[in-house]
Amino acid sequence: MSSRARERRSPARSDALDAALKTLDVRDAPGPPPTRRRPSVPALERAFASPGRTSSASSPASSSSPASSAVPSASSRSTPHAPAMSPAAALRTRREHLSAYEQGEIGEYPQIWYCGDGVGGGGKKPGGRAKKPSDAPGADLAPGAALAHNHGFDDERGDYGVTLRDHLAYRYEILEIVGKGSFGKVLRCFDHKTGSHAAVKVIRNKKRFHHQALVEVKILERLRHARREASAPGGASSSSSHGDGGGCVEMREYFYFRNHLCIAFELLSSNLYEFCKTNGFRGLSLGLCRRFAGQLLRSLRFLRAQRIIHCDLKPENVLLERPNKSAIKLVDFGSSCFEDERAYTYIQSRFYRAPEVILGTPYDQGIDMWSLGCVLAELYAGRPLFPGENEAEQLARIMEVIGAPPPSALADATRAETFFRRGTGEPKPATTHTRDGKRRIPGSRDLAEVLRCTDRAFVSFIEKCLRWNARDRLTPERALKHEWIAPQPPSDARI
């Protein structure tokens, strides 16, 4: 997840994609090459050279941390790195590493940094034999899936068939698959152009996911622009949470490869769910929770200034910048939206889903503050605060702690009658009874009791995040002044 070196525009652009990008206002986004027939072997064209738990929401964003790779070849490499080759030079010196398709495709890229030399034996090519099963094309796919689409590179879902040690765009060497989701895959790669590692998100080759990824790129570009403005002389650097870009993951670039939109990011460490798992889910100290809270609040303040709603704040989407350090970054903007461009109603992972999303009420940036309260409670207690098995039970667990919703919370709710009786607002039995017949009574449990915490300031902070009406919740600005938050210790202190 990334710096922001802008790559040259691809000369192959479709009119339809140009129109889509203008609509989305994504400037200078390179378009995918049009679908081509498989080129003949001698054809010479152009080339450019060369990371949790299952979310209950269909989020294209489940983040994963890069575990140590089983493919160590590039892991120890750093600058200096070999200079780029021309496509002609690559064909002369690397032809044995290129399939017939690649020998035609390579001419589409002006610089060649890496050709997938590490695979060897033709094992990375469609129909080729791999040296070992884990390196075979599509070895990461579900049983029974076949690479029968997009010239043999995709399965029927539009997922790219990943081969370890192969290349992306003749520049990135694929080292490991670190995440999968409905959106596609996240790969840990070595960037042979910069001599550094990166996390590359490869979007499924389907229209719906491609369009949402364009929205993600638009948001990431907005954040990049805001960071640049804040860091410029005389810029409002105070709007940046860490002084390094608002505490949000940085995109390096985006590009198309074999009809897949790819987004390259800076590579971070493990996510907070994995960190808590390593800790045996015993819960974190209040001091460490406070450090994480302060950084997340500054990240949300940065997003709020850009009128962006994250829409999927959860422990899996908060990554440590480095192992054993408490500096964190917010990742995964695959479900995010601008406040005036809300296009989705089914958002947020269930345990962290705000009541207005469940009830079908118009939402705003307040849903991120609800999620933050749930996340901090989980980090402290070592378990989710509201672990509902479905939306009805989710509401029951919420009401059990914060009471039944006031009439104002149901006034504009399109799904109110799914969970509450018309007129009275009384919860329906299906909303208050679990599958095993247990009844959850609204307001019957105290928040401090559920958290098992005697720190009054912490309980107060969580309670102010978990209000039925978003306008009654803390905003990031007010939360940063709450007695539990200020003053803050350094974010880069050891864990």
Side-chain angles (χ1 to χ4, degrees):
M1 308 175 180
S2 95
S3 77
R4 296 185 183 217
R6 189 173 298 239
E7 296 296 332
R8 68 183 299 280
R9 289 170 63 101
S10 167
R13 298 179 61 96
S14 68
D15 293 339
L17 186 67
D18 273 334
L21 291 174
K22 287 178 182 176
T23 301
L24 289 168
D25 190 29
V26 182
R27 295 186 298 276
D28 296 332
T35 303
R36 303 182 293 110
R37 295 179 181 175
R38 186 183 295 273
S40 58
V41 173
L44 181 62
E45 291 147 332
R46 159 197 148 265
F48 143 156
S50 206
R53 282 169 296 179
T54 302
S55 165
S56 57
S58 177
S59 165
S62 236
S63 57
S64 288
S65 64
S68 55
S69 174
V71 185
S73 69
S75 61
S76 60
R77 293 184 211 157
S78 59
T79 53
H81 44 279
M85 294 182 288
S86 68
L91 281 172
R92 285 197 307 271
T93 62
R94 298 288 189 272
R95 183 178 291 272
E96 71 275 15
H97 298 290
L98 301 171
S99 68
Y101 184 93
E102 288 173 316
Q103 290 177 39
E105 175 189 61
I106 196 170
E108 297 178 2
Y109 293 82
Q111 294 176 305
I112 309 302
W113 301 89
Y114 178 70
C115 295
D117 311 28
V119 178
K124 68 191 170 94
K125 318 306 177 191
R129 292 177 57 85
K131 287 188 173 182
K132 52 185 178 179
S134 63
D135 284 345
D140 60 299
L141 301 179
L147 296 175
H149 303 266
N150 191 24
H151 300 296
F153 293 110
D154 296 357
D155 67 3
E156 61 183 11
R157 282 172 29 97
D159 268 317
Y160 186 72
V162 173
T163 305
L164 300 184
R165 305 289 298 280
D166 202 359
H167 68 85
L168 292 177
Y170 300 91
R171 169 175 170 177
Y172 295 94
E173 179 179 355
I174 302 172
L175 301 180
E176 183 183 14
I177 300 172
V178 296
K180 296 181 182 180
S182 61
F183 64 90
K185 301 169 184 175
V186 178
L187 311 176
R188 184 168 73 90
C189 299
F190 183 78
D191 183 351
H192 283 261
K193 180 177 180 179
T194 63
S196 63
H197 288 82
V200 181
K201 189 174 185 178
V202 182
I203 306 300
R204 279 172 62 186
N205 186 11
K206 295 291 182 181
K207 183 177 181 180
R208 177 166 71 94
F209 298 101
H210 175 257
H211 182 272
Q212 178 59 23
L214 287 177
V215 176
E216 181 178 5
V217 167
K218 177 181 177 182
I219 287 171
L220 292 166
E221 284 281 30
R222 170 72 68 85
L223 297 179
R224 169 158 60 182
H225 179 71
R227 274 189 288 263
R228 286 174 174 170
E229 282 194 335
S231 60
S237 59
S238 60
S239 67
S240 169
S241 72
H242 297 261
D244 62 358
C248 299
V249 68
E250 297 184 29
M251 178 180 68
R252 288 182 177 171
E253 63 164 355
Y254 48 96
F255 57 93
Y256 283 91
F257 180 61
R258 295 172 182 168
N259 296 314
H260 289 266
L261 176 58
C262 303
I263 310 173
F265 298 90
E266 62 178 322
L267 188 65
L268 301 173
S269 187
S270 59
N271 65 57
L272 291 191
Y273 174 74
E274 293 168 331
F275 178 71
C276 291
K277 183 178 180 180
T278 301
N279 196 43
F281 298 112
R282 291 189 295 271
L284 307 181
S285 70
L286 278 176
L288 185 53
C289 289
R290 184 183 293 111
R291 270 183 256 165
F292 289 151
Q295 294 176 78
L296 287 172
L297 285 170
R298 289 189 287 274
S299 298
L300 292 179
R301 181 179 64 181
F302 180 65
L303 294 181
R304 184 180 177 88
Q306 308 308 315
R307 301 184 65 80
I308 292 170
I309 310 173
H310 186 274
C311 294
D312 200 19
L313 178 54
K314 57 183 178 180
E316 292 91 334
N317 285 341
V318 181
L319 270 60
L320 298 171
E321 290 190 39
R322 291 177 290 167
N324 303 318
K325 293 288 186 178
S326 60
I328 55 176
K329 285 196 174 184
L330 186 58
V331 307
D332 191 357
F333 291 84
S335 296
S336 303
C337 65
F338 291 98
E339 195 168 30
D340 57 352
E341 297 178 8
R342 291 165 292 182
Y344 302 98
T345 56
Y346 189 63
I347 54 174
Q348 297 187 295
S349 297
R350 190 191 311 123
F351 294 176
Y352 316 96
R353 192 173 296 160
E356 56 265 41
V357 175
I358 299 175
L359 294 171
T361 303
Y363 61 87
D364 58 19
Q365 292 161 327
I367 67 173
D368 288 338
M369 287 303 298
W370 176 279
S371 298
L372 176 66
C374 295
V375 167
L376 293 175
E378 180 174 339
L379 293 179
Y380 174 75
R383 63 190 185 283
L385 180 60
F386 302 127
E389 294 185 5
N390 51 56
E391 287 195 315
E393 186 181 346
Q394 191 70 23
L395 273 178
R397 287 179 177 273
I398 290 171
M399 290 190 294
E400 190 177 35
V401 175
I402 70 172
S408 59
L410 302 178
D412 299 322
T414 59
R415 302 184 66 211
E417 293 183 20
T418 303
F419 308 103
F420 300 92
R421 297 186 189 277
R422 180 185 296 184
T424 66
E426 180 184 351
K428 291 183 176 180
T431 307
T432 57
H433 289 73
T434 61
R435 292 180 182 177
D436 59 6
K438 179 182 177 181
R439 185 185 179 197
R440 297 188 181 278
I441 303 172
S444 60
R445 300 188 70 188
D446 181 70
L447 180 59
E449 167 200 334
V450 176
L451 293 172
R452 299 176 188 173
C453 180
T454 58
D455 188 289
R456 181 191 56 79
F458 176 66
V459 175
S460 167
F461 183 91
I462 300 299
E463 187 273 328
K464 286 178 169 59
C465 291
L466 304 178
R467 300 282 177 84
W468 281 103
N469 290 309
R471 64 176 178 273
D472 296 330
R473 293 175 202 151
L474 290 172
T475 62
E477 292 81 4
R478 295 208 321 265
L480 283 165
K481 298 176 183 177
H482 189 275
E483 60 178 326
W484 181 65
I485 293 294
Q488 277 290 304
S491 65
D492 202 34
R494 287 190 62 83
I495 294 176

